[in-house]
């Protein structure tokens, strides 16, 4: 009788093999007769673990739980008989090779035996079972199973060892590849750095490395073979000023100490580089010195940057000093020039007295020009850049220099075709070119030729100036030239190559400051006894830029000459007195105040009267000029005004009220009247 096997049991049978068994082999006995099960179990339990199944369905469930060395299967059972059970067992991949011995009490005929063998049986045992025969047959399959399992276990172990070996080899190969990659990267990094690694005997004399790596040729310009062939090469090419210090350090290192030193060394191309040479002493296991391992690093760029930083800091300090003294110095000059103007306008002078006055005014004006040069160097001077026409500039400068250069010096201009227009302060550019031309004249006491050449240029990557288009004005002479060791110092203020009494040392510093403040740069090329060329690199003016329109007040004489009631506030007695006299001479009525507190008293006492204009110094104790104007405008809205200042940088005057014009000290009556008219037009 055939009973269907459950879908769950079949699907479970088709799943994978259970874990590899350990310990004794197992025998599955399948029989529906409980007595047969117990009898067979008794016979076989000493050679293997016996598992009992009372039906075909139960046998299939047991097969899901593990492997068996042999299956003893009763042919005739209710439900699923032995043949059908064997067929299912043989159909499953994981169980089809388990030996099956059929147990049968009847049907010893050949056709039944053939059917059993066709269903997968390997043998028959007939009931009643003979214990010796059954035990003998089962033992053969148990031994075969155990040997197979041992072979499989060893094969698995060997495979695991092989896999582990392959993994280890793969890991080693990967580690070797990574190590080679790291070494290649390190070598590439070292090759790209201005660095040399070396080994040197601790007692080497003269100094001679026995091994170098890195970019030795690129750093020094020599091949290592050149150094090996000439043991004194290293010492011979030390800078003379550093040789004694370096040789002393090398002698001291024989004591076994690590060392680090910087020095200059002449490379194969003749130039000096700054090297940082440092090394440590390597010792053997007994502490005996073996060799020095060191690095030679090219620090030339760092030293150049340090020099530039030092120069910038020095220039900044001088600039701060210049800006600080400019206020007081300009106050003094304003008082002096204002007083001289007052004397000239109010006193009738004899000719000899007028000469003394003009001489004094000229000296004061030279002082004002000196401050202007200092401010240009310090980059604190207020510039008014605009598009400059080179043709007009050349005519103006030639006219200014006509009587200055003398008959022995010839001035020539060379203008490139389609020349761009520079963007700079035209007045300061004229002054810069005059300074350069006068320097060129002084370098040619026996006469010569000065050439001012103008050309277009483009800087792709900036360098000492931002990248972009420039107009280059090069002033060249055929004079004595500048010594190479002085080239870097000629832009320092008060440094001059001229004889005592023949130069202030401010000419080139003023030109350098003007070029930097204009967004360009200055370059100097000089050769002794051949001449000097100074180049001014000025930014190209934008195409749409035009000259600024003239002052709106200049075309309105009625506004310009109007009499005003002016409140003048200045804490400097001399400036206040001379400025008040200057305003009165211009036809204005003047009320003076010494500071912001004095102005507050005038407001409270209604002492402002008909004041319709205010002129105030910017820097005063406690209250600035800007605050004074705001306070007055709170009482008199719409009051126009001017701030006068002795400070270097007008842009540094913070918080100037709307419409207020800043006028720098010292100033002339005309400049003051123009500022009054412009302020009245802007806010009056």
């Amino acid at each position: 009788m055939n009973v269907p096997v459950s879908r769950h049991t079949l699907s479970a049978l088709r799943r994978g093999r259970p874990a590899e068994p350990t310990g004794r082999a197992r025998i599955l006995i399948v029989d529906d007769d409980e007595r047969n099960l117990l009898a067979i179990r008794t016979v076989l339990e000493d050679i293997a673990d016996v598992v009992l199944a009372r039906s075909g369905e139960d046998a299939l469930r047991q097969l899901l739980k593990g492997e068996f060395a042999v299956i003893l299967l009763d042919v005739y059972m209710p439900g699923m008989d032995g043949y059908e059970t064997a067929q299912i067992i043989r159909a499953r991949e994981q169980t089809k090779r388990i030996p099956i011995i059929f147990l049968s009490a009847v049907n010893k005929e050949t056709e039944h035996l053939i059917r059993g063998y066709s269903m997968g049986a390997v043998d028959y045992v007939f009931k009643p079972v003979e214990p010796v025969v059954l035990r003998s047959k089962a033992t053969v399959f148990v031994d075969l199973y155990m040997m197979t399992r041992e072979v499989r276990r060893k094969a698995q172990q060997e495979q695991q060892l092989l896999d582990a070996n392959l993994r280890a080899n793969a890991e080693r190969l990967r580690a070797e590849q990574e190590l080679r990659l790291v070494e290649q990267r390190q070598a590439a990094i070292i090759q790209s750095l201005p660095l040399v690694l070396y080994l040197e005997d601790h007692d080497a004399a003269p100094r001679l490395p026995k091994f170098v790596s890195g970019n030795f040729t690129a750093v020094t310009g020599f091949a290592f073979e050149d150094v090996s062939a000439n043991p004194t090469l290293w010492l011979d090419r030390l800078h003379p000023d550093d040789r004694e210090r370096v040789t002393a350090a090398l002698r001291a290192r024989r004591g076994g100490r690590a060392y680090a030193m910087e020095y200059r060394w002449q490379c194969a191309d003749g130039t000096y580089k700054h090297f940082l040479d440092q090394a440590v002493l390597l010792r053997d296991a007994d502490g005996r010195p073996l060799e020095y391992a060191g690095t030679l690093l090219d620090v030339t760029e760092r030293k150049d940057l340090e020099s530039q930083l030092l120069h910038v800091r020095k220039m900044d300090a001088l600039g701060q000093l210049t800006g600080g003294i400019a206020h007081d110095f300009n106050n003094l000059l304003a008082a002096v020039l204002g007083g001289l103007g007052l004397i000239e306008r109010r006193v009738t002078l004899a000719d000899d007295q007028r000469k003394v006055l003009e001489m004094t005014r000229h000296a004061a004006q030279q002082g004002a020009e000196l401050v202007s040069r200092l401010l240009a160097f310090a980059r604190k001077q207020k510039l008014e850049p605009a598009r400059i026409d080179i043709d007009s500039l050349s005519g103006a400068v030639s006219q200014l220099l006509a009587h200055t250069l003398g008959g022995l010096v010839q001035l020539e201009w060379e203008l490139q075709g389609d020349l761009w227009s520079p963007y700079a302060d035209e007045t300061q550019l004229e002054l810069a070119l005059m300074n350069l031309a006068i320097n060129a004249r002084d370098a040619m006491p026996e006469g010569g030729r000065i050439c001012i050449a103008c050309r277009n240029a483009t800087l792709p990557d900036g360098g000492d100036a931002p990248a972009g288009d420039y107009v280059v004005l090069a002033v060249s002479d055929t004079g004595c030239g500048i010594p190479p060791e002085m080239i870097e110092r000629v832009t320092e203020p008060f440094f001059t190559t001229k004889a005592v009494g023949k130069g202030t040392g401010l000419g080139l510093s003023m030109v350098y400051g003007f070029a930097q403040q204009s967004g360009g740069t200055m370059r100097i090329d000089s050769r002794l006894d051949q001449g000097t060329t100074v180049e001014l690199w000025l930014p190209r003016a934008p195409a749409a830029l035009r000259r600024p329109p003239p002052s709106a007040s200049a075309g309105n004489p009625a506004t310009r000459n109007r009499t005003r009631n002016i409140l003048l506030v200045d804490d400097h007695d001399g400036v206040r007195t001379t400025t008040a006299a200057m305003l009165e001479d211009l036809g204005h009525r003047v009320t003076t105040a010494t500071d912001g507190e004095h102005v507050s008293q005038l407001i409270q006492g209604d002492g402002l009267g008909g004041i319709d204009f205010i002129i105030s110094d910017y820097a005063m104790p406690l209250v600035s000029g800007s605050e004074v104007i705001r306070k007055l405008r709170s009482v008199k809205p719409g009051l126009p005004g001017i701030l006068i200042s002795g400070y270097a940088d007008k842009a540094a005057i913070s918080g100037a009220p709307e419409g207020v014009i800043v006028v720098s000290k010292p100033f002339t009556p005309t400049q003051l009247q123009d500022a009054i008219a412009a302020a009245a037009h802007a806010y009056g």
Side-chain angles (χ1 to χ4, degrees), residues 311 477 480-493 495-497 508-509 512 522-528 531-534:
H311 179 74
D477 63 59
C480 59
I482 304 173
E485 64 272 12
M486 294 185 180
I487 288 290
E488 294 183 358
R489 298 194 59 194
V490 293
T491 56
E492 297 180 10
F495 177 83
T496 179
T497 59
L508 283 176
S509 65
Y512 175 76
M522 184 181 80
R523 297 177 179 177
I524 302 176
D525 180 32
S526 185
R527 291 178 175 82
L528 286 176
T532 301
T533 298
V534 180

Side-chain angles (χ1 to χ4, degrees), residues 86-382:
Q87 187 177 15
I88 295 175
I89 292 173
R90 285 288 178 261
R92 180 173 177 255
E93 181 66 28
Q94 287 74 21
T95 58
K96 66 181 181 179
R97 291 182 176 83
I98 301 176
I100 298 175
I101 300 176
F102 275 141
L103 301 175
S104 178
V106 295
N107 294 331
K108 297 181 180 180
E109 293 85 357
T110 300
E111 59 178 324
H112 290 288
L113 296 177
I114 294 301
R115 182 185 177 191
Y117 288 125
S118 65
M119 292 295 177
V122 296
D123 204 352
Y124 265 89
V125 174
F126 296 98
K127 299 176 183 178
V129 175
E130 180 63 37
V132 175
V133 174
L134 180 61
R135 181 184 179 89
S136 176
K137 291 180 180 288
T139 300
V140 171
F141 292 112
V142 168
D143 291 342
L144 180 61
Y145 171 80
M146 294 299 292
M147 288 188 291
T148 302
R149 194 172 74 177
E150 181 64 17
V151 170
R152 191 165 59 210
R153 184 186 65 80
K154 290 183 178 180
Q156 186 176 8
Q157 289 180 343
E158 291 177 357
Q159 185 62 44
Q160 290 174 348
L161 290 174
L162 179 60
D163 292 343
N165 188 41
L166 290 175
R167 285 195 299 271
N169 289 336
E171 289 293 333
R172 185 185 65 184
L173 180 61
R174 183 163 56 253
E176 291 175 351
Q177 291 174 343
E178 291 177 354
L179 179 60
R180 282 195 296 269
L181 182 60
V182 169
E183 291 174 347
Q184 292 171 356
R185 289 174 177 171
Q186 290 177 343
I189 291 173
I190 293 175
Q191 288 291 336
S192 65
L193 293 175
L195 178 69
V196 174
L197 308 177
Y198 67 85
L199 294 175
E200 187 175 53
D201 289 335
H202 73 284
D203 57 352
R207 185 179 193 188
L208 182 62
K210 60 183 181 181
F211 168 79
V212 296
S213 67
N215 210 350
F216 183 82
T217 302
V219 171
T220 66
F222 290 97
F224 180 60
E225 292 76 13
D226 299 331
V227 180
S228 302
N230 185 2
T232 64
L233 177 66
W234 195 265
L235 183 62
D236 294 341
R237 301 188 76 85
L238 284 171
H239 193 282
D241 295 341
D242 298 336
R243 183 175 289 114
E244 183 177 352
R245 176 174 55 84
V246 173
T247 52
L250 291 177
R251 286 194 300 270
R253 79 172 186 173
R254 294 176 184 174
R257 293 178 297 177
Y259 66 89
M261 54 187 174
E262 287 189 10
Y263 52 82
R264 289 162 290 180
W265 197 82
Q266 189 177 31
C267 299
D269 60 0
T271 61
Y272 280 96
K273 286 185 177 181
H274 291 264
F275 289 154
L276 172 60
D277 190 351
Q278 49 190 353
V280 295
L281 182 62
L282 304 181
R283 300 178 182 271
D284 62 14
D286 297 326
R288 292 187 296 268
L290 290 177
E291 58 190 2
Y292 274 100
T295 60
L296 188 72
L297 178 64
D298 181 4
V299 294
T300 306
E301 184 176 352
R302 191 196 73 189
K303 298 295 289 187
D304 291 343
L305 290 175
E306 288 177 355
S307 298
Q308 293 176 19
L309 179 60
L310 181 63
H311 179 74
V312 168
R313 287 178 175 173
K314 180 171 60 176
M315 296 300 100
D316 184 64
L318 288 171
Q320 294 292 339
L321 175 63
T322 300
I325 67 173
H327 176 262
D328 295 334
F329 198 33
N330 282 333
N331 274 336
L332 296 174
L333 290 173
V336 170
L337 290 173
L340 292 175
L342 182 62
I343 293 173
E344 186 177 28
R345 290 190 299 273
R346 297 188 178 184
V347 179
T348 302
L349 301 174
D351 290 342
D352 57 341
Q353 294 172 334
R354 186 171 296 278
K355 288 181 181 179
V356 173
L357 185 142
E358 288 297 332
M359 182 179 62
T360 306
R361 176 186 286 116
H362 181 68
Q365 289 173 343
Q366 283 186 320
E369 183 181 352
L370 179 63
V371 173
S372 177
R373 292 186 180 187
L374 287 171
L375 298 183
F377 159 73
R379 304 185 214 172
K380 291 181 176 292
Q381 189 171 21
K382 181 66 174 179

Side-chain angles (χ1 to χ4, degrees), residues 32-91:
D32 60 320
D33 190 329
E34 188 72 27
R35 292 169 299 175
N36 289 337
L37 290 175
L38 293 177
I40 297 174
R41 177 178 182 177
T42 302
V43 173
L44 301 179
E45 61 184 358
D46 60 335
I47 65 172
D49 292 338
V50 177
V51 177
L52 304 179
R54 293 164 179 79
S55 65
E57 185 78 33
D58 189 17
L60 296 178
R61 283 194 293 270
Q62 294 296 336
L63 287 171
L64 295 175
K65 299 178 182 180
E67 290 189 351
F68 292 90
V70 62
I71 301 174
L72 302 180
L73 179 60
D74 187 23
V75 174
Y76 291 104
M77 292 182 297
M80 182 185 299
D81 62 12
Y83 295 124
E84 186 175 0
T85 303
Q87 187 177 15
I88 295 175
I89 292 173
R90 285 288 178 261

